[in-house]
Amino acid sequence: MEKLEAQDLELLMTEQEKYQFDLINGDFECEEASNILLNLIDEKINFQKKLRLQKWEKNHDYDLNATDKRIEELESQKNKLIQFFNQKKELANQVKIKSIVEITIGNE
């Protein structure tokens, strides 16, 4: 087995702790862009609602404020996005979306 130098080991650890990819990257018609983003937010809201229920089922005394706050944030963002696309659909036919997901393992 090949012995790793300290700098190689550090690079390997960095590569294992962080992962990044393009979730959305392209040009879309305004309605398509709206549908993609609103569906993504809806899925995230549903995930948070399921998570809330699971936590409550395990412990009826669980503080649900953080989950409720996140749901409210997502619903607010969804409403802003709807307003944005309603205003812009008359002005623009094409919309570019770039969304990068970055996953970091550890306590950074």
Side-chain angles (χ1 to χ4, degrees):
M1 182 173 183
E2 183 179 327
K3 184 177 179 184
L4 293 173
E5 298 294 324
Q7 64 197 81
D8 294 332
L9 187 56
E10 185 177 316
L11 178 61
L12 182 62
M13 288 174 60
T14 301
E15 289 177 300
Q16 290 175 342
E17 292 173 359
K18 193 178 232 182
Y19 180 71
Q20 189 175 34
F21 66 96
D22 286 339
L23 180 63
I24 305 170
N25 187 5
D27 298 307
F28 305 92
E29 291 182 11
C30 200
E31 188 174 338
E32 290 173 328
S34 175
N35 287 338
I36 290 167
L37 295 173
L38 292 175
N39 286 331
L40 189 59
I41 292 173
D42 282 339
E43 285 297 320
K44 185 65 176 142
I45 289 170
N46 287 336
F47 172 80
Q48 290 292 329
K49 287 179 179 180
K50 288 176 188 175
L51 182 65
R52 183 185 191 283
L53 180 60
Q54 289 171 350
K55 293 198 183 260
W56 182 81
E57 285 177 339
K58 287 181 182 177
N59 178 3
H60 291 323
D61 295 325
Y62 183 81
D63 184 7
L64 300 171
N65 287 329
T67 308
D68 289 342
K69 183 179 178 193
R70 183 63 181 139
I71 292 169
E72 288 173 15
E73 289 170 355
L74 289 164
E75 288 174 343
S76 173
Q77 193 61 44
K78 180 180 174 182
N79 289 330
K80 289 176 186 175
L81 197 56
I82 290 169
Q83 289 176 354
F84 173 82
F85 276 110
N86 284 339
Q87 292 172 356
K88 304 301 179 191
K89 69 181 173 185
E90 305 290 324
L91 303 173
N93 210 17
Q94 289 288 92
V95 176
K96 180 167 184 66
I97 302 175
K98 181 164 181 76
S99 174
I100 298 171
V101 173
E102 182 177 294
I103 303 168
T104 305
I105 305 299
N107 296 325
E108 286 188 28

